Amino acid sequence: MQEYVLPSDEELAAQAVREGSDGTAFTSLVERFRTKVWRVCWRLMGNEHDAQDAAQEVFVRLFFERGKFQGRSSYSTWLHAVAIRTCLTLRRTRTRRRRREDSAEEDQIENVSDGASEKNARSTGVIDTEKLLDDLDEEDRALVLMRFAENHDYEVLAEMFDMTAGACRMRISRLRERLAAKAAKQFSE
Amino acid sequence: MDMLEKLANVPVPPVPEAKPFDAGMRRKLHPRLLAAHIVEFAFEAMPMALLCMIESMCAAIQFTITGSWPDRGNDSSR
């Protein structure tokens, strides 16, 4: 009986480059990585609507950048990096747009409700991790989420964020300390 | 600090259905692909075609005036 061997990610990616259109190889890539890309997008975007939008955007970007994969890391890692970059860009754009759109009055309302939720959190002794993470720089937030929510190794994270493993370890350790201090402060207030 | 370790326990919602997801992706992809093709046509194919046409016209004018084709070096294909 003839055994059918599935092509590796790298082989499929090379096939998609040769194909030059959104044909079978590209469709297979989308199918193969849909779940992984979805996880990254959901973690970084924080809600299903934005995550779906971002995941589709990742595959559109993948289509245009599919020739840029040079094999310096695994294809999966490279695609994760594309997904992270896309999500960061979308989050930055949305934050800027939201800031522009928010009127002073809406700001006031938001401040009042934030204050209320903060008080609530304090009274119940619950630390809002999401809120703490939102105070971080977008890239730092992504790094923390990929490390702790998705459990990626430092070596893989270093490739995704284009830095050395040592620098990555150091940055995460500092972020962790910063978040711990913030959480302690929030808890004691 | 287990506050961050707990992030891994936050459940990820199921992946959206393949069909509408792919359809949405293609709705985003196709206009951009069309734009990319138009740009390529306008800035690469058209100038190239114009250049070739102008070159041929110049050669024809030169032939009309001098009776010889422009010297193209060792171009044996002509």
Side-chain angles (χ1 to χ4, degrees):
Chain A
M1 203 172 84
Q2 200 178 2
E3 211 174 292
Y4 180 69
V5 183
L6 276 175
S8 69
D9 298 340
E10 287 74 13
E11 283 167 349
L12 202 57
Q15 216 175 309
V17 174
R18 280 195 301 273
E19 200 174 62
S21 69
D22 56 337
T24 47
F26 180 72
T27 309
S28 306
L29 272 179
V30 174
E31 254 169 53
R32 196 176 280 192
F33 287 101
R34 193 182 289 118
T35 310
K36 283 182 182 174
V37 167
W38 168 254
R39 286 186 71 90
V40 172
C41 292
W42 189 82
R43 294 281 190 202
L44 297 185
M45 300 307 286
N47 68 67
E48 284 191 52
H49 180 265
D50 287 351
Q52 179 160 342
D53 200 28
Q56 288 169 342
E57 195 63 42
V58 169
F59 287 115
V60 170
R61 197 180 267 203
L62 172 70
F63 181 82
F64 287 107
E65 293 187 4
R66 65 197 191 284
K68 289 186 183 171
F69 174 65
Q70 293 173 331
R72 279 183 291 194
S73 60
S74 74
Y75 190 76
S76 174
T77 306
W78 180 77
L79 185 56
H80 269 82
V82 173
I84 291 166
R85 277 203 310 274
T86 310
C87 290
L88 291 183
T89 310
L90 285 174
R91 272 185 69 91
R92 282 182 191 126
T93 316
R94 274 167 202 186
T95 310
R96 270 201 300 271
R97 198 187 303 150
R98 210 170 296 146
R99 271 188 203 144
R100 267 204 307 269
E101 284 171 1
D102 277 356
S103 66
E105 201 179 10
E106 277 173 337
D107 277 348
Q108 270 182 341
I109 293 165
E110 207 178 7
N111 287 341
V112 169
S113 66
D114 280 357
S117 66
E118 226 168 82
K119 267 184 198 166
N120 210 10
R122 270 181 239 149
S123 63
T124 53
V126 175
I127 296 162
D128 190 349
T129 317
E130 283 294 317
K131 207 165 170 14
L132 280 177
L133 288 175
D134 279 343
D135 288 341
L136 293 177
D137 166 41
E138 289 293 347
E139 200 175 299
D140 288 342
R141 179 179 171 276
L143 193 60
V144 169
L145 282 170
M146 287 301 107
R147 173 70 190 111
F148 295 103
E150 289 295 301
N151 284 323
H152 286 299
D153 293 339
Y154 289 108
E155 284 73 22
V156 175
L157 284 173
E159 283 173 354
M160 283 180 195
F161 287 85
D162 198 21
M163 57 174 94
T164 61
C168 183
R169 198 182 290 268
M170 180 71 80
R171 197 158 150 188
I172 288 175
S173 156
R174 281 184 187 152
L175 286 168
R176 205 173 181 172
E177 281 169 19
R178 226 168 88 192
L179 285 169
K182 268 189 178 179
K185 200 177 158 194
Q186 200 187 87
F187 197 72
S188 65
E189 271 174 4
Chain B
M1 183 172 62
D2 25 289
M3 181 184 82
L4 290 177
E5 311 287 353
K6 277 180 193 161
L7 282 172
N9 301 333
V10 178
V12 177
V15 188
E17 264 184 69
K19 261 192 171 177
F21 180 87
D22 286 1
M25 183 196 71
R26 286 192 155 75
R27 262 199 304 279
K28 285 181 181 166
L29 175 64
H30 290 165
R32 281 186 225 180
L33 200 54
L34 179 68
H37 284 317
I38 290 172
V39 168
E40 198 182 327
F41 179 74
F43 293 101
E44 286 180 36
M46 281 304 282
M48 192 68 186
L50 276 173
L51 203 72
C52 287
M53 202 176 78
I54 290 167
E55 213 175 31
S56 312
M57 282 171 70
C58 288
I61 292 167
Q62 190 182 333
F63 181 75
T64 311
I65 297 167
T66 64
S68 65
W69 292 103
D71 185 20
R72 291 260 173 131
N74 293 329
D75 192 356
S76 56
S77 63
R78 288 178 69 88

